[in-house]
Amino acid sequence: MELYNQLKGLADKVEQLKDRIDTEESTKHAFTLPFINILGYDTFNPTEVVPEFTADVGLKKGEKVDYAIFQNGDPILIVECKHWKQNLDVHNSQLFRYFHVTKTRFALLTNGVNYRFYTDLEETNKMDKKPFLEFDITRLKENTAKEIEKFHKSKFDVLKIIDNASNLKYTSEIKAVMEQELAASSHDFVKLFANRAYGGRLTAKVMEEFTEIVNKAFNQIISEKVNDRLNSALNKEQEKQQAEEEIEEEPKSKIETTEEELEAYQIVLAILRRKVDKSRVVHRDTQSYFGILLDDNNRKPICRLHLNGGVKYISLFDEDKNEIKEKIESIDDIYKFEKQLLDVVAYYDND
């Protein structure tokens, strides 16, 4: 995935340079602008990326957001950037004000390491308090990169992003709640399971016991799920390895074409070249015999040679394809059957 690789490259740059970045401006130039470039927007084109975009709020004039990304003359994303060491939690109120006075549906708050994308799911033209997409670029996952790609210039579609934003936001919030409950189960969480598992009255002592039981049960489920995934992966790897070993251990073909058989083929070829082109005469070795065919066609056998046993034979064919075996002392005896070999080729060509 090209975008993912580009973002990973930026993440490496962030890791290498952040300790040498002392100002907010440096953060913008070293981290934020490259991110905007990765999204396909030309940071040197003032019709696409406008720095210090005016976002006056009421009577308060001169309010400016760090960057506004434009498409078809309208702002589609405003970006507020802070120094990479700053905690973003104390800065979303500023972006909240900017969002309200612009036409955009999306806002990005970042310090070059952490990125938070906002929209107005809860109330139109009023930025939500919580982001629908949040990530640390130094710990980026491929599925997150797929969501970031939706903001790429070539793929940007307001309605598609809005439709997906709700799912992303609430999935993220539910995951956060689940993590909190797994770390320290709340009274309501324990009560939910205790009510279903315990038939008696939920006294303080019972709730205390069930708090430990619920925590233990959930940790066991997670461990079992992880082990199941690991075992499944290991089993697949073992099956793959076994299949590869079986392929390697497959018995080699018992067919082995000998020098004598190849010499015999050359004799037959020399005889037939007076009537047919040599490219039409093909040999095929089998476990039972060494066959010579016309046009590499099983229905046009010229002869079959049996040379690997105690007694040597040549099988010839008449016009009805009846097989006639003739004993030979050596492959030189093939010359004795010149007429039969030429005749059988003539039968096939005249057929």
Side-chain angles (χ1 to χ4, degrees):
M1 185 179 176
E2 186 181 352
L3 183 77
Y4 177 70
N5 292 333
Q6 290 176 331
L7 291 170
K8 289 292 285 182
L10 178 58
D12 292 340
K13 181 182 176 184
V14 169
E15 291 281 29
Q16 291 168 12
L17 297 180
K18 64 182 182 181
D19 291 327
R20 293 155 61 186
I21 301 295
D22 298 323
T23 66
E24 187 175 294
E25 278 303 308
S26 297
T27 302
K28 292 177 188 177
H29 288 285
F31 303 154
T32 307
L33 287 177
F35 179 80
I36 293 172
N37 273 324
I38 288 172
L39 292 181
Y41 302 98
D42 185 356
T43 53
F44 295 102
N45 183 345
T47 65
E48 283 190 8
V49 181
V50 179
E52 296 297 308
F53 179 66
T54 302
D56 292 337
V57 182
L59 298 174
K60 193 172 183 180
K61 303 299 180 182
E63 289 281 274
K64 295 181 185 296
V65 65
D66 289 323
Y67 301 103
I69 297 175
F70 277 70
Q71 197 171 80
N72 300 323
D74 292 318
I76 59 171
L77 175 67
I78 57 173
V79 182
E80 185 66 15
C81 178
K82 300 303 173 185
H83 185 264
W84 72 269
K85 287 184 179 179
Q86 288 200 14
N87 186 335
L88 295 180
D89 291 342
V90 298
H91 294 291
N92 62 344
S93 58
Q94 183 182 14
L95 190 61
F96 183 91
R97 297 197 309 272
Y98 297 157
F99 187 93
H100 181 67
V101 296
T102 63
K103 293 180 180 179
T104 183
R105 296 291 304 276
F106 304 106
L108 168 61
L109 178 62
T110 181
N111 59 11
V113 180
N114 296 297
Y115 289 76
R116 297 177 181 179
F117 283 85
Y118 296 84
T119 188
D120 54 353
L121 292 173
E122 295 172 9
E123 192 174 338
T124 303
N125 203 33
K126 187 176 180 181
M127 192 180 89
D128 298 335
K129 292 181 180 179
K130 294 182 179 180
F132 68 89
L133 177 62
E134 183 175 2
F135 60 90
D136 178 332
I137 198 167
T138 63
R139 293 197 290 269
L140 190 67
K141 296 178 181 177
E142 280 196 53
N143 61 329
T144 304
K146 289 178 183 176
E147 299 303 329
I148 299 169
E149 191 172 24
K150 292 182 173 70
F151 282 92
H152 194 277
K153 180 180 176 181
S154 64
K155 298 180 182 293
F156 186 84
D157 185 314
V158 173
L159 295 179
K160 284 183 180 178
I161 299 175
I162 292 292
D163 287 345
N164 194 48
S166 176
N167 182 284
L168 281 174
K169 179 181 177 182
Y170 295 119
T171 298
S172 176
E173 290 188 14
I174 289 169
K175 283 168 69 177
V177 171
M178 290 176 73
E179 284 180 1
Q180 290 172 5
E181 295 292 356
L182 288 170
S185 299
S186 66
H187 178 85
D188 289 340
F189 188 73
V190 174
K191 189 176 179 180
L192 172 67
F193 294 98
N195 270 326
R196 296 189 180 188
Y198 185 70
R201 194 166 68 89
L202 298 179
T203 63
K205 185 178 179 181
V206 171
M207 286 295 292
E208 185 179 344
E209 290 175 357
F210 265 92
T211 298
E212 185 178 344
I213 291 168
V214 169
N215 282 334
K216 185 177 179 181
F218 267 87
N219 283 323
Q220 284 180 353
I221 286 175
I222 291 170
S223 295
E224 287 167 6
K225 290 288 184 187
V226 170
N227 285 332
D228 287 346
R229 292 289 296 273
L230 287 173
N231 288 333
S232 176
L234 285 171
N235 288 337
K236 284 181 181 177
E237 185 61 31
Q238 286 173 352
E239 287 171 7
K240 182 182 175 184
Q241 229 172 6
Q242 189 176 350
E244 288 173 352
E245 286 170 4
E246 286 174 359
I247 291 170
E248 287 174 5
E249 291 173 4
E250 277 183 3
K252 292 181 180 178
S253 173
K254 294 180 181 178
I255 300 170
E256 186 176 344
T257 303
T258 65
E259 287 293 329
E260 186 178 37
E261 287 171 332
L262 292 173
E263 286 181 31
Y265 167 67
Q266 292 298 329
I267 291 172
V268 174
L269 192 60
I271 292 169
L272 298 179
R273 283 186 68 179
R274 283 176 282 164
K275 293 290 184 183
V276 295
D277 188 276
K278 67 176 183 177
S279 62
R280 297 182 62 195
V281 182
V282 177
H283 68 77
R284 259 193 227 174
D285 205 355
T286 71
Q287 289 187 35
S288 305
Y289 58 83
F290 182 83
I292 301 177
L293 309 170
L294 185 67
D295 301 327
D296 202 11
N297 188 334
N298 279 330
R299 293 188 300 241
K300 296 181 179 180
I302 297 171
C303 67
R304 290 173 181 169
L305 299 166
H306 307 264
L307 305 177
N308 297 328
V311 180
K312 293 179 171 55
Y313 290 92
I314 180 171
S315 290
L316 302 162
F317 297 89
D318 61 19
E319 59 185 318
D320 296 319
K321 296 185 184 176
N322 296 314
E323 186 175 357
I324 306 157
K325 276 189 177 182
E326 298 284 356
K327 183 179 175 182
I328 56 176
E329 296 297 327
S330 71
I331 58 174
D332 290 334
D333 289 344
I334 295 173
Y335 287 108
K336 296 177 183 178
F337 305 102
E338 179 178 336
K339 182 177 183 304
Q340 291 94 320
L341 292 169
L342 290 168
D343 285 347
V344 74
V345 169
Y347 298 148
Y348 295 142
D349 281 346
N350 294 328
D351 194 6

